[in-house]
Amino acid sequence: MSNLLDLLVAGLATGAIYALVAVGFTLLWQTSQTINFAQGEFVMLPAFLMLAVMHAGAPFWLAIIIGILLSLLLLGLGFKLLLVDPMLRHGVLPLAIATMALAIGMKEAVKQFFSAEASPFPSIVPAGDVSILGRVVSLQSLGVLALAIAVVIGLTALLNRTSVGHQMQATAQNPTVARIIGVPVERMILLTFLINALLVALASLLITPIYLAKFSSGEVLGQAAFIAAIVGGFNQVRGAIAGGLLIGVVDNLAAAYVSTQYRAAVPLILLIVIILFRPQGLLGRPEERTV
Amino acid sequence: MTATGKYLRIALGVAVIAALIIVPMNFNRYGLYILSQWAVMTIAAMGLNLTLGYAGQVSLAQGAFVGIGAYAAAIMTTQGGMPLIAALGVAIVLCFAIGWILGYPALRVQHHYLAFVTLAFSTLAFLVFRNEDWLTKGIYGISNIPRPNVLGFATNRPLPFYYFCLGSLALVSLAMWWLIRSPWGRAFVALRENPVRALSLGIDTRRYTLMAFAIGSALGGVAGTLYAPLTQYIDPVPFNLSLSLDLLMMVIVGGSGFFFGPFLGAMIAVLLPEWLRFTQGYYLMLYAVAVMLLLIYSPTGILGILDRYLAERRTKAASALRAVVKSRLETAP
């Protein structure tokens, strides 16, 4: 367990999931100044949606598809239309508070309508071990890492290679100028909400088999993703990815080498130090909007 | 403000205070506990309102300061056998000093970054409460926290202790009332409205930012020293991040930057879930929905609605007056 390679792989696997969540978080911030304090609960919910579909008798793959569609509908479209749109013009803080209330509501709803107990969740990666460089590494960690990296690469390609991606980036950098040069800003903002919903659904699918489905599991995850986003750079997608991987690895190493009691403190101290010396994050730009 | 308006407000104030003193006399133990909790949380929220509402700095650490105050009270009164007033002094000094230090990031980073620095502090404080067994007894918590004697009166029973909390709230409110009308309070507001202009007016923005953080944090400590004897048992759980989030919600929902905002916000956060308890498991859900709807309708909180209503009435009255004057001018020969 205390082998460095094992720790690194496990750290990168959780880190990659943090990265997915953190990327969605930065996308929402960039395009619509939304700080989503319910982001952790957004990851918690899709697993329960999928479980509910499975309880109704559907096979796992169908549950995944329906779960992702419901996630797009509720956490993407619903979140934007019902909460963000009416509140956006009032500034960042009331909206942030409203998402806190949303987090409470989501937790309580799952606890009330589903279960207060932790439920097991099937893994899309088969159990077992493989041997790499003479070490035994769990297949699940590798599979999660591979899938998360594939998603991240796909997303980066979308943002950097396609015209839709360029329009999204223009919207993120300066909505006014983007509108002038003919970018359908509203549609791009909606798209980022849908992408966020897709990312949290995928993160949910990857992380729930490891930590079980529990109504309160979003708290830790949300905080890890926030820290990842800030550490990497609040306004950079690649910053969020780097931050996610870094926090995952640091967290795992801290648990093994520092102390299990203060393991949660290590990423936080890292966060404070980075904010004080490099407020824009490791890869971020200072927040001046340029075209 | 007209003279009748002023008398009306004074009458309303007297009525509310009288109700707070008389009505709970026939409350049961639990009702008094909840009302005492309201008074305690109002003090903590008032501190945060100073930091956020008047000085414009977002802090997610107020719950940690309540925890520090509560642990100071619990440790000193149970293990040291000292009176609560001594613990109060220690809590105020300690929270003031930590708040001052925590204010330094506020000089460098703003808004959401500051929120996350204070969030990190909040979680670190929780870890210390949980892990430093030698001091805080860790997850087992500290029990049998005595209630104080105030001016020779024992406050062991719920009603006297409620009056003790209410009296403390009154003292804190008077101090705050004085503070925000003092040059300091005006400087805080100047800081919130326009830091650059405040600086150009000769306000030492650094010192006042730190001061707002420190005083706000100290009030969190005051609330904590009341919280420990109220529950008579503390463990780390109540002081985790969600208390800080709750307090922030209280300030925003009540109306940040309004003097009476924290009173209403704490009422919503402490009393509303209790009133909704008849709905069984749904009460926190309904509470969350209520908060979201309120914020969508009025992002400046409950007092924001009132403020808007009064402003509208004033504009209407003014334009009616203008119309009258204008018609008189037109009909005049």
Side-chain angles (χ1 to χ4, degrees):
Chain A
M1 177 57 204
S2 61
N3 178 275
L4 192 60
L5 181 69
D6 293 355
L7 289 173
L8 277 178
V9 173
L12 285 174
T14 38
I17 300 170
Y18 292 163
L20 293 184
V21 186
V23 165
F25 184 69
T26 51
L27 280 177
L28 289 194
W29 165 255
Q30 283 183 304
T31 51
S32 63
Q33 314 286 293
T34 304
I35 297 186
N36 182 13
F37 272 101
Q39 186 80 346
E41 280 68 28
F42 273 36
V43 180
M44 176 273 296
L45 191 67
F48 280 98
L49 295 174
M50 292 172 198
L51 276 178
V53 176
M54 273 187 278
H55 279 239
F60 187 39
W61 61 269
L62 187 62
I64 292 177
I65 294 172
I66 297 178
I68 289 177
L69 289 178
L70 282 175
S71 170
L72 289 176
L73 192 68
L74 291 174
L75 305 177
L77 196 64
F79 176 53
K80 180 177 189 294
L81 292 183
L82 296 179
L83 198 63
V84 177
D85 281 355
M87 294 214 61
L88 201 52
R89 63 204 158 84
H90 302 311
V92 176
L93 197 58
L95 179 54
I97 304 281
T99 61
M100 282 177 203
L102 180 64
I104 296 177
M106 286 171 71
K107 262 188 297 205
E108 291 300 319
V110 168
K111 193 162 126 192
Q112 183 68 19
F113 296 122
F114 205 89
S115 163
E117 303 295 316
S119 325
F121 191 82
S123 171
I124 50 169
V125 186
D129 296 314
V130 285
S131 122
I132 301 172
L133 301 171
R135 295 291 316 173
V136 178
V137 178
S138 101
L139 202 56
Q140 190 162 30
S141 291
L142 282 182
V144 165
L145 185 59
L147 283 174
I149 288 175
V151 173
V152 164
I153 290 175
L155 182 70
T156 330
L158 173 78
L159 285 177
N160 293 334
R161 300 283 166 79
T162 65
S163 76
V164 171
H166 289 151
Q167 292 182 344
M168 280 175 69
Q169 289 200 340
T171 306
Q173 280 177 6
N174 193 328
T176 319
V177 174
R179 196 170 281 124
I180 293 170
I181 60 176
V183 173
V185 169
E186 272 311 305
R187 207 184 303 158
M188 291 303 134
I189 292 177
L190 178 62
L191 194 58
T192 52
F193 276 81
L194 292 177
I195 289 178
N196 182 49
L198 182 65
L199 289 175
V200 291
L202 290 172
S204 189
L205 196 57
L206 293 177
I207 205 163
T208 319
I210 305 174
Y211 294 116
L212 301 180
K214 190 154 202 280
F215 72 94
S216 59
S217 63
E219 292 162 12
V220 180
L221 200 64
Q223 207 178 332
F226 293 146
I227 296 175
I230 309 256
V231 162
F234 212 57
N235 45 23
Q236 284 279 321
V237 167
R238 62 196 163 91
I241 296 167
L245 294 174
L246 184 67
I247 294 298
V249 170
V250 165
D251 192 35
N252 262 273
L253 292 181
Y257 295 117
V258 182
S259 80
T260 46
Q261 288 181 325
Y262 279 102
R263 122 183 232 184
V266 175
L268 291 169
I269 291 169
L270 185 73
L271 168 78
I272 293 180
V273 171
I274 286 179
I275 286 184
L276 289 183
F277 292 99
R278 232 186 116 71
Q280 71 272 37
L282 290 175
L283 298 179
R285 298 152 301 184
E287 266 196 19
E288 293 153 323
R289 289 175 171 269
T290 47
V291 190
Chain B
M1 187 61 61
T2 57
T4 32
K6 197 175 171 187
Y7 287 128
L8 252 171
R9 287 216 299 185
I10 292 173
L12 183 70
V14 171
V16 168
I17 292 169
L20 280 173
I21 293 172
I22 296 165
V23 173
M25 278 180 181
N26 46 24
F27 272 24
N28 62 12
R29 173 177 284 270
Y30 187 68
L32 286 167
Y33 172 78
I34 294 296
L35 267 187
S36 309
Q37 211 185 6
W38 166 75
V40 171
M41 285 305 149
T42 302
I43 294 175
M46 275 170 101
L48 185 59
N49 192 29
L50 184 72
T51 315
L52 175 75
Y54 289 96
Q57 308 290 334
V58 184
S59 166
L60 287 176
Q62 192 70 354
F65 289 109
V66 177
I68 291 171
Y71 270 102
I75 293 166
M76 287 176 69
T77 54
T78 57
Q79 289 166 22
M82 275 178 269
L84 192 68
I85 189 92
L88 181 69
V90 169
I92 289 177
V93 171
L94 199 62
C95 291
F96 189 90
I98 299 174
W100 186 278
I101 295 168
L102 201 62
Y104 275 100
L107 302 173
R108 277 187 62 81
V109 294
Q110 290 275 313
H111 308 303
H112 47 278
Y113 292 114
L114 186 59
F116 287 114
V117 173
T118 51
L119 179 147
F121 172 75
S122 200
T123 310
L124 291 176
F126 173 76
L127 288 174
V128 171
F129 296 150
R130 200 188 59 190
N131 293 332
E132 299 305 317
D133 297 8
W134 58 276
L135 188 65
T136 65
K137 299 225 173 97
I139 51 168
Y140 299 107
I142 299 173
S143 47
N144 295 324
I145 299 164
R147 287 183 173 174
N149 283 329
V150 184
L151 307 173
F153 293 100
T155 59
N156 288 327
R157 287 176 42 250
L159 190 64
F161 192 79
Y162 164 67
Y163 285 140
F164 173 56
C165 291
L166 197 63
S168 309
L169 175 61
L171 286 179
V172 170
S173 307
L174 284 176
M176 184 65 95
W177 185 261
W178 169 81
L179 179 73
I180 56 175
R181 265 149 197 78
S182 73
W184 281 18
R186 291 177 202 286
F188 287 148
V189 176
L191 204 63
R192 175 191 63 186
E193 295 302 330
N194 192 333
V196 179
R197 191 183 297 163
L199 191 65
S200 73
L201 285 173
I203 292 169
D204 183 349
T205 49
R206 289 174 59 89
R207 227 183 86 212
Y208 280 100
T209 305
L210 295 176
M211 198 58 99
F213 250 96
I215 299 176
S217 308
L219 283 180
V222 172
T225 48
L226 293 172
Y227 183 89
L230 168 65
T231 56
Q232 301 192 287
Y233 165 80
I234 58 167
D235 68 343
V237 176
F239 311 114
N240 64 11
L241 182 62
S242 56
L243 178 59
S244 293
L245 296 179
D246 274 350
L247 284 165
L248 187 63
M249 203 136 79
M250 286 179 208
V251 173
I252 302 277
V253 165
S256 88
F258 293 101
F259 183 81
F260 288 106
F263 292 80
L264 287 172
M267 211 181 220
I268 298 279
V270 177
L271 301 184
L272 185 62
E274 296 300 325
W275 290 332
L276 290 174
R277 224 173 243 285
F278 71 90
T279 61
Q280 315 247 313
Y282 297 94
Y283 72 102
L284 274 176
M285 239 183 292
L286 289 175
Y287 166 65
V289 171
V291 169
M292 280 188 279
L293 288 180
L294 172 75
L295 284 173
I296 289 172
Y297 180 65
S298 171
T300 44
I302 301 174
L303 285 176
I305 301 178
L306 200 66
D307 200 45
R308 220 164 35 188
Y309 169 72
L310 289 177
E312 252 167 44
R313 260 191 35 176
R314 237 173 275 143
T315 355
K316 265 192 200 144
S319 56
L321 197 65
R322 253 200 315 277
V324 171
V325 172
K326 199 175 161 204
S327 65
R328 271 197 202 141
L329 282 175
E330 277 166 358
T331 51

